[in-house]
């Protein structure tokens, strides 16, 4: 586990601070970590409690969620696009947004399918919330309140959750087709011929479908089971070749084991 700063400590620091949900491979946070690792940008990790009130954090930055990237005295960056832009600004090389305009636009479109509202991550979260909130109160216990906070924060509803598997499957099918087309060209990345933010975000978000093995990603077995319980609709759309690509990106470009 990284040496997390508490909010009171982080407020006194300069440089780059990255607010992360401690102890879990949250895909938005892991993707942000991957961006900065690929560019060899140092940061201080700041603790956020998943589903917690995080009142001190919200009083500091205006936001209770993670990830957040805070650089010097600049405003907090919470969205995936602004975090990518910050990483590109702090270390232009290696570029994770291609110089070619069409490739650059394609990278952003693929990341959006993973990380935007109604993307893969958003819909998998709805599925996970549905699974958790459906447990009997005597089993759910104290976990109910954090789940209810997440449900309120991210627009959960039973109706949205019922549509989520089909949306996740649709996105996976699009990624599979893109990866197949790239491989047919003899290429090793999702867009163009070099590592991009699209590859890093795919590697991180694949945890919501098949977490990395326990020796590479230490997480509670209950949570591991929930992440991997994707159901038949999503299972049918998940191409093993995409998981092999995830493994290659971690092996060749990102830090292993994950430091949660």
């Amino acid at each position: 586990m990284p040496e997390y700063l508490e909010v009171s400590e982080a407020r006194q620091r300069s440089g780059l601070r990255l607010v992360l949900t401690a102890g879990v491979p949250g895909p938005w946070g892991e993707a942000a970590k991957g961006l900065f690792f690929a560019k060899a940008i140092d940061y201080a990790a700041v603790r956020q409690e998943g589903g917690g009130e995080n009142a001190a954090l919200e009083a500091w930055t205006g936001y209770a969620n993670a990830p957040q990237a805070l650089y010097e005295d600049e405003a907090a960056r919470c969205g995936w696009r602004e975090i990518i832009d910050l990483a590109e600004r702090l270390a232009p090389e290696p570029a994770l947004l291609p110089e070619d305009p069409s490739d650059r636009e394609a990278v952003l479109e693929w990341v959006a399918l993973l990380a935007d509202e109604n993307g893969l991550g958003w819909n998998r979260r709805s599925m996970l919330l549905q699974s958790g909130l459906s447990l009997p109160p005597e089993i759910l216990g104290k976990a109910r309140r954090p789940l209810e906070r997440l449900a309120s924060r991210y627009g959960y509803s039973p109706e949205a959750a019922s549509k989520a598997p089909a949306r996740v499957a649709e996105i996976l099918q699009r990624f599979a087709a893109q990866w197949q087309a790239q491989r047919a060209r003899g290429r090793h990345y999702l867009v163009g011929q070099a590592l991009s933010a699209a590859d890093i975000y795919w590697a991180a978000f694949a945890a919501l479908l098949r977490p990395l093995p326990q020796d590479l990603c230490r997480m509670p077995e209950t949570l591991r089971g929930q992440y991997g319980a994707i159901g038949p609709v999503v299972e049918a759309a998940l191409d093993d070749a995409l998981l092999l690509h995830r493994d290659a990106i971690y092996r060749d470009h990102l830090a292993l084991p994950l430091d949660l």
Side-chain angles (χ1 to χ4, degrees):
M1 182 174 288
E3 184 178 344
Y4 282 103
L5 299 177
E6 300 301 330
V7 169
S8 58
E9 300 172 293
R11 295 186 74 159
Q12 307 305 315
R13 294 286 189 97
S14 59
L16 179 64
R17 290 139 295 170
L18 191 60
V19 178
L20 300 164
T21 304
V24 298
W28 284 269
E30 291 304 306
K33 288 164 62 177
L35 296 172
F36 294 119
F37 181 86
K39 289 176 171 288
I41 300 172
D42 291 331
Y43 62 85
V46 183
R47 182 183 302 276
Q48 188 258 13
E49 180 188 352
E53 291 186 8
N54 296 292
L57 177 62
E58 188 170 11
W60 176 31
T61 69
Y63 303 97
N65 61 306
Q68 299 182 39
L70 297 114
Y71 182 66
E72 301 296 3
D73 294 327
E74 299 175 8
R77 293 168 169 85
C78 297
W80 61 264
R81 173 62 193 270
E82 56 188 0
I83 293 176
I84 292 175
D85 286 344
L86 176 63
E88 292 289 277
R89 187 186 109 201
L90 295 180
E93 297 296 334
L96 298 176
L97 291 179
E99 183 177 352
D100 178 81
S102 61
D103 281 352
R104 184 185 185 91
E105 182 178 349
V107 165
L108 295 173
E109 288 174 352
W110 288 113
V111 175
L113 282 172
L114 298 171
D116 253 2
E117 185 171 339
N118 201 36
L120 184 146
W122 185 277
N123 281 279
R124 274 296 289 138
R125 182 168 52 205
S126 284
M127 294 168 67
L128 291 165
L129 287 169
Q130 182 184 50
S131 176
L133 291 170
S134 66
L135 293 172
E138 61 271 19
I139 296 177
L140 193 54
K142 294 181 180 179
R144 173 166 288 277
R145 185 61 186 130
L147 287 176
E148 288 175 341
R149 283 197 193 96
L150 291 171
S152 175
R153 186 175 295 164
Y154 297 112
Y156 168 80
S157 71
E159 294 75 18
S162 69
K163 298 175 182 178
R167 175 61 173 160
V168 172
E170 173 199 342
I171 293 169
L172 286 175
Q173 288 163 354
R174 293 175 65 176
F175 268 82
Q178 172 67 8
W179 182 229
Q180 183 178 8
Q182 285 289 93
R183 291 169 68 200
R185 300 185 186 102
R187 296 178 177 180
H188 304 289
Y189 301 98
L190 280 167
V191 178
Q193 300 188 61
L195 178 73
S196 76
D199 300 291
I200 292 173
Y201 271 77
W202 164 249
F205 276 75
L208 291 172
L209 308 162
R210 290 281 190 278
L212 288 166
Q214 187 72 355
D215 62 326
L216 299 179
C217 177
R218 296 190 62 81
M219 58 191 293
E221 285 300 328
T222 300
L223 184 62
R224 175 176 293 278
Q226 292 170 339
Y227 271 35
I230 58 179
V233 172
V234 177
E235 186 77 54
L238 180 56
D239 188 337
D240 286 344
L242 285 172
L243 296 176
L244 292 174
H245 180 55
R246 179 271 307 270
D247 295 345
I249 294 302
Y250 269 109
R251 182 187 65 240
D252 297 339
H253 299 287
L254 302 177
L256 286 174
L258 300 190
D259 196 3
L260 305 177

